[in-house]
Amino acid sequence: MSKVDPEAGLLSRRLNLRVRSRPPRTSSIPMAELLNWTFEDEVPLLGDLITAGSTGMLAAERGLGKSIFALYIAYAIAGGKSCKPWGVGAGAVVVYLDGEMHTRTLAQRLKMITNSDPQEKTRRLAGKNLQIIGRDAMEDVIGHIDVEEDQRRIENMLPEDCRMLIIDNLSAWTSSGREDGASFAPIKRWLARLRTVGIAVLLVHHTGKSGRGQRGSSIHEDMLDYFIKLDVDPRGKPANGTRFLVTLEKQRELHADVPEVFGYTFTTDPDEDKMRHLFELTGKKPPTAIDQQIVDLLLEGVAGKNVATTLNVAQAKVSRVKGAQSADTKADIKEARRQRDTLGETRSVTPTGKRSSARSTHEPPQANKTNKHGAPGAAA
């Protein structure tokens, strides 16, 4: 085993994770030279999605099941198990950096996942390859990934054959609690550093309030090779587990054989101490919050131009969302619009979403009522 300098971290260690066909360069590379290079194939850790040195993110709203899914991915890579639809794990060393869970909870989840694996060989492989760094387990704060000194400390906790680091979760492992670009800069440098030694990283994170993407600055996504987002399944959760839709929002390399969206259900069986999972093809991408608002207003008969103005979106987006609806929904939208035109009723929508009705200015005036003297007069 190599001698580790506690102040230097990974760069001082004899890691042979990334196969290099040429020595590192310290000056710019002419294009003519670059085009003559031959490149080694990517080292797969989980199909074509997660490869050695790749950087990804898994994001979901609180309580939906992102930690369970991250543990499931970790077990598949460590144990050489299938993780649909991406493929089979490489049986590589994975380190799970846990910043939130109590050790008892983490151990129970891992035990149930392991008990659900019917193959002794892969159970043993995962038991050796899946390793934990946790604050509660080690009874140590350990540090934060946005502090350089703490980064080195975490690096020195990694086994030398570590192929992947899963960080659960981004906010739990940062010191400031801020999620702007400046706060992410030291993490970004660290991710680049881990990439140079061939360690893949998966950041577990929360989605924003709208549920449309990861929480915080879009700079979080600049270095990502892939971005996995979990959404609420309209069918709801089972009583003894969770269910969600999985969408691959970003991937450097496109693969036509991988579905755009699919579903996972995880259920626990306390009698057998197992956690079972079900993979399902859904074929339809879940609507975003703004898409749903557009549909809701269209179903109230609001004209497309007014919907765009109310929600501060392009009219072309309203048209695209409308065009993506089923034939039945399109018919309902058309009927709602017809009824509104017939009634001559317009509806204003406040920024808070509250709606108020008003009679159209094109509506014929009411017939004058006679006053007590029998003469025409204004309506009371």
Side-chain angles (χ1 to χ4, degrees), residues 140-362:
D140 189 341
V141 175
I142 298 175
H144 300 89
I145 63 173
D146 55 348
V147 178
E148 188 172 353
E149 181 182 354
D150 297 342
Q151 292 171 358
R152 290 197 294 267
R153 187 177 183 198
I154 293 170
E155 289 172 6
N156 286 325
M157 292 180 174
L158 303 179
E160 293 199 9
D161 53 354
C162 174
R163 286 283 189 169
M164 183 170 190
L165 177 64
I166 298 180
I167 301 173
D168 188 6
N169 58 61
L170 183 58
S171 58
W173 282 102
T174 51
S175 58
S176 67
R178 296 168 56 193
E179 294 174 332
D180 55 89
S183 301
F184 192 68
I187 301 174
K188 195 172 179 179
R189 287 194 295 271
W190 189 47
L191 295 175
R193 173 171 159 160
L194 294 174
R195 176 175 287 181
T196 63
V197 294
I199 294 180
V201 178
L202 175 60
L203 296 167
V204 181
H205 193 30
H206 298 94
T207 51
K209 291 182 179 179
S210 68
R212 297 177 62 189
Q214 57 85 25
R215 191 175 69 190
S217 172
S218 60
I219 289 177
H220 292 168
E221 301 180 35
D222 288 351
M223 282 188 64
L224 299 183
D225 296 297
Y226 61 93
F227 177 30
I228 304 168
K229 188 162 79 76
L230 309 186
D231 290 289
V232 174
D233 191 308
R235 295 174 296 174
K237 297 180 181 180
N240 58 335
T242 188
R243 179 186 289 123
F244 46 77
L245 299 177
V246 184
T247 306
L248 196 57
E249 296 281 333
K250 175 182 179 180
Q251 189 175 11
R252 294 285 187 198
E253 302 292 336
L254 298 178
H255 300 281
D257 56 330
V258 176
E260 182 182 21
V261 59
F262 48 92
Y264 261 98
T265 302
F266 288 88
T267 54
T268 58
D269 185 342
D271 294 332
E272 297 187 21
D273 212 14
K274 293 181 178 181
M275 181 182 293
R276 294 186 169 87
H277 68 272
L278 174 66
F279 166 80
E280 298 176 285
L281 291 174
T282 61
K284 186 175 182 182
K285 191 172 182 178
T288 64
I290 195 69
D291 289 355
Q292 191 59 56
Q293 286 180 279
I294 290 172
V295 175
D296 289 345
L297 289 177
L298 289 173
L299 286 171
E300 291 185 13
V302 180
K305 182 171 71 174
N306 294 337
V307 171
T309 301
T310 299
L311 298 179
N312 194 27
V313 297
Q315 194 168 345
K317 178 174 178 59
V318 176
S319 298
R320 285 197 301 271
V321 171
K322 181 180 178 181
Q325 303 307 304
S326 66
D328 288 343
T329 302
K330 288 178 181 177
D332 291 342
I333 290 172
K334 184 176 181 180
E335 177 61 18
R337 185 64 195 157
R338 187 194 66 78
Q339 290 183 9
R340 174 163 292 217
D341 288 341
T342 300
L343 295 173
E345 187 176 352
T346 61
R347 184 163 298 222
S348 61
V349 184
T350 66
T352 60
K354 295 180 180 179
R355 299 175 178 85
S356 58
S357 298
R359 300 301 295 179
S360 169
T361 54
H362 300 291

Side-chain angles (χ1 to χ4, degrees), residues 3-247:
K3 188 176 180 180
V4 175
D5 178 358
E7 295 301 319
L10 285 172
L11 296 187
S12 69
R13 298 164 66 178
R14 295 197 299 268
L15 293 177
N16 296 314
L17 299 179
R18 171 156 289 189
V19 177
R20 299 187 183 277
S21 57
R22 63 191 68 84
R25 293 289 294 257
T26 57
S27 60
S28 59
I29 304 166
M31 182 186 74
E33 180 183 342
L34 178 66
L35 296 182
N36 287 322
W37 283 9
T38 57
F39 296 92
E40 301 290 338
D41 292 336
E42 294 281 0
V43 179
L45 299 180
L46 182 61
D48 294 319
L49 178 70
I50 302 178
T51 57
S54 63
T55 306
M57 179 177 284
L58 168 63
E61 66 178 46
R62 193 180 304 276
L64 188 57
K66 56 185 177 293
S67 291
I68 290 175
F69 198 46
L71 286 172
Y72 175 68
I73 291 173
Y75 188 93
I77 294 174
K81 299 291 293 183
S82 172
C83 181
K84 294 179 180 180
W86 297 308
V88 177
V93 173
V94 179
V95 174
Y96 197 91
L97 188 64
D98 173 55
E100 279 193 336
M101 281 185 276
H102 292 290
T103 308
R104 180 191 299 272
T105 303
L106 177 60
Q108 180 63 21
R109 288 183 176 181
L110 289 171
K111 182 180 180 182
M112 297 181 85
I113 292 173
T114 303
N115 289 346
S116 301
D117 183 355
Q119 298 177 317
E120 182 180 353
K121 180 180 178 181
T122 53
R123 287 199 304 268
R124 286 202 310 267
L125 189 59
K128 179 185 71 170
N129 285 341
L130 180 49
Q131 302 189 24
I132 308 299
I133 297 176
R135 287 174 172 153
D136 188 51
M138 296 182 170
E139 298 181 344
D140 189 341
V141 175
I142 298 175
H144 300 89
I145 63 173
D146 55 348
V147 178
E148 188 172 353
E149 181 182 354
D150 297 342
Q151 292 171 358
R152 290 197 294 267
R153 187 177 183 198
I154 293 170
E155 289 172 6
N156 286 325
M157 292 180 174
L158 303 179
E160 293 199 9
D161 53 354
C162 174
R163 286 283 189 169
M164 183 170 190
L165 177 64
I166 298 180
I167 301 173
D168 188 6
N169 58 61
L170 183 58
S171 58
W173 282 102
T174 51
S175 58
S176 67
R178 296 168 56 193
E179 294 174 332
D180 55 89
S183 301
F184 192 68
I187 301 174
K188 195 172 179 179
R189 287 194 295 271
W190 189 47
L191 295 175
R193 173 171 159 160
L194 294 174
R195 176 175 287 181
T196 63
V197 294
I199 294 180
V201 178
L202 175 60
L203 296 167
V204 181
H205 193 30
H206 298 94
T207 51
K209 291 182 179 179
S210 68
R212 297 177 62 189
Q214 57 85 25
R215 191 175 69 190
S217 172
S218 60
I219 289 177
H220 292 168
E221 301 180 35
D222 288 351
M223 282 188 64
L224 299 183
D225 296 297
Y226 61 93
F227 177 30
I228 304 168
K229 188 162 79 76
L230 309 186
D231 290 289
V232 174
D233 191 308
R235 295 174 296 174
K237 297 180 181 180
N240 58 335
T242 188
R243 179 186 289 123
F244 46 77
L245 299 177
V246 184
T247 306

